[in-house]
Amino acid sequence: MCSSVQKALFEEEDHVKKLQQKVATLEKRNRQLRDRVKKVKRSLRQARKNGRHLELVNQKLSEKLAAAAGAIPHINALGREPARSSYLRG
């Protein structure tokens, strides 16, 4: 073969090799990003699940507190007489 053709062929093969390496690198990075997205989605689902659970626990505690508050008179209402205004007496 002619040397210029061989040179062109070699350059083309080199270019193809570089492109294949680039594709491999991009595919690897794409897999890494997909894995990261999966982890973030999993974490988000878990956080939402925990949030719903905490909301339910909070609601139950609020109901218990309200029930307990209704059964026990408030400390300020115990043993107090109505306030008398001495300044209104004549």
Side-chain angles (χ1 to χ4, degrees), residues 13-89:
E13 287 174 351
D14 190 45
H15 182 67
V16 168
K17 189 184 295 184
K18 286 180 183 178
L19 288 176
Q20 287 173 338
Q21 289 174 346
K22 197 174 216 177
V23 166
T25 303
L26 291 172
E27 286 175 343
K28 181 180 177 183
R29 183 66 179 146
N30 193 27
R31 276 193 306 275
Q32 290 173 343
L33 291 173
R34 284 178 190 260
D35 288 343
R36 185 183 295 177
V37 167
K38 283 181 188 177
K39 289 177 185 177
V40 168
K41 283 184 176 181
R42 188 179 311 123
S43 295
L44 180 59
R45 281 193 307 269
Q46 189 64 39
R48 284 181 178 158
K49 182 179 176 184
N50 291 342
R52 286 191 300 269
H53 176 70
L54 290 176
E55 215 171 286
L56 183 64
V57 169
N58 189 23
Q59 182 181 357
K60 287 181 180 180
L61 287 175
S62 294
E63 289 171 0
K64 284 183 181 180
L65 183 62
I72 302 173
H74 194 274
I75 189 73
N76 291 339
L78 294 177
R80 297 204 62 184
E81 297 177 16
R84 294 186 187 141
S85 303
S86 60
Y87 63 87
L88 292 178
R89 291 187 185 158

